[in-house]
Structure formats: C-alpha cells, structure tokens
Amino acid sequence: MSQQEFWDERYGQSEYIYGTEPNSFLTASEFQLPPSGRVLCLCEGEGRNAVFLARQGHLVTGVDVSREGKKKAERLANEQGVSIEYHLSDLCAFDFGVAQWDAIISISAHLPSPVQADVYPRVFAALKPGGILLLESYHPRQIEYGTGGPKDVDMLMTLETLHRHFPTLEVQHEAELEREVTEGTFHTGNAFVTQFIGRKPT
C-alpha cells in the first residue's frame, strides 16, 4: 500500500480522526510566529492546524499526499470561515522554493531518515531570513507509551537529530518531554514528544 493509499483510507471516514482542534503546542507557541506571514504546514492531513493558523490571520498553505485529507481540510476551513491553500504532493516532490515562508510548521510529520535528509535542507532554504521552524514530533521513547505515532523508531525525532539537520537555526524553544496528548482517535493519552522552535538567522 502506498503512502497516499494509506492516508486516503485513514482520512476517508466521516470523523476527523485527529480531531478538529489544533495541536496544543502550536496554539501555545503561535505568538512566536511572524504576524500575518506566509506559513507552510507539512503533512497537514485534515487541516486542523492550517485552519487554526488561518484564523489567526496567517496566509496558510498545507501540503499532504492525501486527497481525502484535502477534502476534509477544505471543508473544515469553509465551516470556520477561512481560506487555505492545499497542495497534493509527497514532500520529496514538493517545491518548497527559496526564502518563501515566514514559518514552516511540522506537527507529527514523521519522516524516515532518508526523507529527512532530502526534505530538511530544502525546509531550511525555504525559510525567509528570520523565519521560524516550529516542530512537534513523537520521540523514540513514544514506542514505550503506545498512545500514537509510528512504530518505526527511524521516523521518531530527537533534538540531537534536529540539531544535525538544522545546525544554524537559532533555538527559541526545545524540549523532550512527557505530556498529555488528546487529538482524536489515534493520538490520545500520555506521550513522549520532541518540541523545537528555531529561527533562521537574518
């Protein structure tokens, strides 16, 4: 089964499987994003984070492989009276551009290490000077918790890995911690996560 088929099957049901409320780390940290800027949301799925950011006045673009996710994201945006742009694309094929984005958001965008090696340098190049990368991912310790996320440790994130991929970002916040996650059917319960906010030097 391809990634597109996997996510189309998961998002194809009527319920929003990760809920319609935005990620709580994102909502707590949104004030650190440049105001009213261009924001790119990676692996945006059903749109809950993109719609939240659009409601805060950002110009939001989401990217994901799932047609079913796109349909639900656009429906959620319409219900909440905002507009988002949404690209159907694998991240490896997506054109991030250069110095295009005031912020790039990566919430539960769990990527295998070869994909990280391809995508993360392009993420860095795509940020404007002063732009923000905001990321929350499950940590390898999450496998012990069993409350969501990939079962493949290669797709889980540590701060050490982030520092290797983004050595020149100015760290605004970073943590590896246990926290309660309540995000629909698949992300619920105590979890162990990695959080990172970095600013591209001007």
Side-chain angles (χ1 to χ4, degrees), residues 16 20 51 55 72-82:
Y16 282 77
T20 57
V51 168
R55 287 173 55 203
K72 291 169 85 172
E74 290 174 340
R75 183 166 74 237
L76 184 63
N78 184 62
E79 289 171 353
Q80 298 201 17
V82 295

Side-chain angles (χ1 to χ4, degrees), residues 30 34-39 50-60 82:
E30 187 271 335
S36 304
R38 294 189 69 217
V39 178
V51 168
F52 163 75
L53 290 165
R55 287 173 55 203
Q56 310 314 305
H58 300 283
L59 302 173
V60 185
V82 295

Side-chain angles (χ1 to χ4, degrees), residues 88-163:
L88 283 175
S89 179
D90 184 282
L91 289 184
C92 290
F94 182 66
D95 181 5
F96 287 84
V98 175
Q100 293 292 309
W101 305 99
D102 295 286
I104 296 178
I105 309 300
S106 177
I107 300 295
S108 297
H110 297 106
L111 309 175
S113 54
V115 177
Q116 294 173 25
D118 172 69
V119 168
Y120 286 163
R122 294 191 288 126
V123 165
F124 180 81
L127 284 170
K128 295 178 182 178
I132 294 290
L133 172 66
L134 184 151
L135 176 147
E136 184 175 71
S137 167
Y138 284 122
H139 184 276
R141 284 185 57 186
Q142 172 63 11
I143 289 177
E144 305 165 19
Y145 288 69
T147 53
K151 308 305 182 197
D152 181 357
V153 71
D154 183 57
M155 300 177 72
L156 304 177
M157 184 57 63
T158 65
L159 291 176
E160 180 183 1
T161 301
L162 284 168
H163 293 161

Side-chain angles (χ1 to χ4, degrees), residues 5 27 53 69 77 82 92 94 105 111 121 132 139 165-166 170 174 177 195 200:
E5 290 168 334
T27 60
L53 290 165
V82 295
C92 290
F94 182 66
I105 309 300
L111 309 175
I132 294 290
H139 184 276
H165 284 299
F166 299 103
E170 299 167 351
E174 61 179 13
L177 75 159
Q195 298 175 341
K200 188 173 184 177

Side-chain angles (χ1 to χ4, degrees), residues 32 49 51 62 136 170 190 199:
Q32 297 202 45
N49 297 312
V51 168
E136 184 175 71
E170 299 167 351
N190 280 337
R199 180 177 180 272

